[in-house]
Amino acid sequence: MSRDWGSLFDVDTDPEDLLEHFDTEWFRGQRYRHLSDERHGIERGTALVGDVVVRGYPSMPRALVLEPAIRETFDGPVAIEEKLNGYNVRVARIDGDLLAFTRSGFVCPYTTRKVEALLDAETFFDDHPEHMLCGELVGPENPYTDHDYSEIEEVGFYVFGIRHRESGTPMGVERRLDRCATYGLDSVGHYGTFTPTAAVDAARERIDDLNARGREGVVLKSTDGETALKYTTSAIHRADLEHAFELPFDYGRDFVFTRVMREAFQAVERGESPAAVDERARELGEAILQPAVETIRAVDAGEPVGETHTVRGDPKTISDLLSYFRDQGLELHVERDETDGEQRVVTFTKVAQSTRDKTRYYLGGGTIDE
Ligand code: ATP
Ligand code: MG
């Protein structure tokens, strides 16, 4: 093999075996490969661009009951950060160009342009050419998620990790915060560093506050950045369910059990009264049933159903994004396509075919064996 991707292969892995699992894609006329599922201990989302390896962002465990999970996971100081609800992006500079990789390792044309515009990262990459910025792209106008943050008008990029691009080794939390401050990069909210015992109460307080503000949750990290643990608010469990049951035959089944159990363990850990559990139950039920009813009505009325997003940018970026989605097999329904000064603003729906087709089938008298 001519390429040197040495760091990817441990002694037991046959390089050809691993490479076979990578898919080939193109970006601006350049071929690259990416791994859509974890293989041989290599993270999902790992990409190969020419000779350069860009490691995937590792998936992190979730706590269902905070106190024992923190105790079991950490034996030293714990940093607590806000967990933002957007999409995971890794930014690397390769041959002089910034490239933005989504979770599964695609170079997204829209995200690449946005981070070019949002970040002033040249000096960071001049000083850290072999590192990548890992962050969450959030805000109401993006093509993947739709969580609103009052402080963000369009989109923002918040760094939660700086890692060595090829080995994936994280920078420690303090140093990362310092680098973000030095280079003027926005960082996710940092709530301080605690002993494991103190972290339990600190995390609970933060969760109460974030829940009241409809925000997602916290990530706890060891100070070397190696170990992470996530925990989420009731508000986001309901928001996830609402989203899933807007498209019940696409997402409903996968979402419901996990979110119901997160709610159940949370109610128990908080020692909630019967009245508080009743309230939780009512809100949970509403989050499931109401969007499903609305969707069935929408299909009945012949309206498109799916995830609707608005994006704005220069016309080329927006048309590249729409082609990129269509190339991935998505059916798009464009609701609005306007020009705002130099920018093209498009609202489109990623058509949820299962939900549309199954709902039509049942509305038309189709039956089910159950
Ligand atoms: P996976 O863990 O495989 O990514 P998932 O897509 O369900 O699964 P989440 O439940 O959203 O992931 O939790 C992990 C993700 O949270 C990270 O991949 C990252 O995109 C996001 N995230 C938001 N804020 C932070 C933060 N402060 N630290 C680390 N990750 C964060
Ligand atoms: Mg997320």
Side-chain angles (χ1 to χ4, degrees):
M1 200 184 356
S2 56
R3 304 267 193 211
D4 173 29
W5 295 313
S7 69
L8 275 188
F9 310 112
D10 63 35
V11 282
D12 301 327
T13 308
D14 174 359
E16 293 305 325
D17 247 21
L18 179 59
L19 284 176
E20 187 184 302
H21 298 293
F22 280 75
D23 296 324
T24 297
E25 296 291 337
W26 295 84
F27 181 72
R28 293 180 187 157
Q30 192 185 0
R31 199 172 91 109
Y32 68 96
R33 310 197 219 192
H34 72 113
L35 188 63
S36 353
D37 282 308
E38 187 193 326
R39 296 279 171 170
H40 301 286
I42 301 300
E43 308 79 11
R44 171 167 90 97
T46 296
L48 308 172
V49 186
D51 285 326
V52 174
V53 178
V54 180
R55 294 293 284 263
Y57 190 80
S59 78
M60 70 179 76
R62 168 186 299 279
L64 289 187
V65 187
L66 264 179
E67 199 273 327
I70 292 175
R71 190 170 9 97
E72 292 293 320
T73 307
F74 299 102
D75 52 13
V78 183
I80 306 183
E81 297 176 354
E82 178 169 11
K83 181 177 197 300
L84 288 176
N85 185 20
Y87 62 102
N88 182 302
V89 174
R90 284 162 288 140
V91 182
R93 191 169 74 181
I94 300 175
D95 294 335
D97 293 326
L98 285 196
L99 294 182
F101 297 84
T102 57
R103 196 76 180 85
S104 53
F106 282 96
V107 178
C108 168
Y110 166 88
T111 313
T112 295
R113 265 277 177 261
K114 282 292 155 185
V115 299
E116 274 169 2
L118 285 170
L119 298 184
D120 189 6
E122 290 305 321
T123 34
F124 171 81
F125 285 111
D126 288 344
D127 295 345
H128 303 84
E130 301 206 329
H131 281 75
M132 59 183 175
L133 297 169
C134 308
E136 198 80 347
L137 206 124
V138 290
E141 290 189 348
N142 79 70
Y144 301 99
T145 58
D146 63 0
H147 194 101
D148 256 323
Y149 284 96
S150 55
E151 68 272 30
I152 304 169
E153 213 171 287
E154 185 201 343
V155 282
F157 179 75
Y158 294 87
V159 174
F160 53 67
I162 298 177
R163 290 178 173 252
H164 189 265
R165 191 169 74 181
E166 183 155 340
S167 65
T169 305
M171 198 178 263
V173 174
E174 284 304 323
R175 179 137 186 269
R176 185 238 303 166
L177 290 171
D178 173 73
R179 301 288 83 186
C180 286
T182 303
Y183 296 99
L185 304 166
D186 288 332
S187 163
V188 293
H190 177 79
Y191 301 138
T193 301
F194 306 86
T195 63
T197 313
V200 176
D201 281 338
R204 284 180 180 157
E205 270 171 38
R206 288 299 171 172
I207 284 290
D208 283 346
D209 173 59
L210 293 167
N211 186 47
R213 295 191 287 136
R215 296 171 78 107
E216 184 177 22
V218 292
V219 179
L220 295 89
K221 289 179 186 163
S222 58
T223 49
D224 61 6
E226 292 279 0
T227 308
L229 182 69
K230 63 191 177 195
Y231 185 80
T232 47
T233 62
S234 184
I236 208 74
H237 303 155
R238 290 196 303 274
D240 284 354
L241 286 169
E242 274 163 20
H243 171 70
F245 280 86
E246 271 167 28
L247 307 171
F249 295 106
D250 289 85
Y251 298 130
R253 260 177 236 275
D254 288 344
F255 273 67
V256 73
F257 181 74
T258 52
R259 270 60 180 191
V260 170
M261 292 324 293
R262 288 174 202 172
E263 285 291 281
F265 279 104
Q266 193 168 84
V268 171
E269 180 169 25
R270 298 168 67 100
E272 284 182 356
S273 66
V277 175
D278 274 356
E279 167 78 5
R280 212 184 258 274
R282 191 179 51 73
E283 289 185 340
L284 188 74
E286 285 174 1
I288 295 171
L289 201 63
Q290 285 174 346
V293 168
E294 275 172 33
T295 292
I296 296 169
R297 289 195 171 131
V299 173
D300 201 22
E303 292 162 19
V305 289
E307 291 171 66
T308 301
H309 302 284
T310 297
V311 287
R312 70 177 60 229
D314 62 86
K316 167 93 169 72
T317 303
I318 300 302
S319 70
D320 285 352
L321 174 73
L322 299 177
S323 324
Y324 165 79
F325 280 151
R326 290 192 171 111
D327 288 347
Q328 289 182 352
L330 292 179
E331 182 183 335
L332 304 182
H333 182 272
V334 174
E335 251 102 278
R336 234 163 34 97
D337 193 343
E338 291 165 0
T339 309
D340 179 5
E342 304 276 274
Q343 300 205 305
R344 181 174 170 200
V345 187
V346 176
T347 300
F348 63 95
T349 299
K350 294 178 185 165
V351 174
Q353 296 170 352
S354 290
T355 294
R356 180 194 59 197
D357 297 346
K358 290 203 169 124
T359 305
R360 274 189 194 154
Y361 170 74
Y362 296 126
L363 282 170
T367 58
I368 189 170
D369 286 332
E370 61 184 21

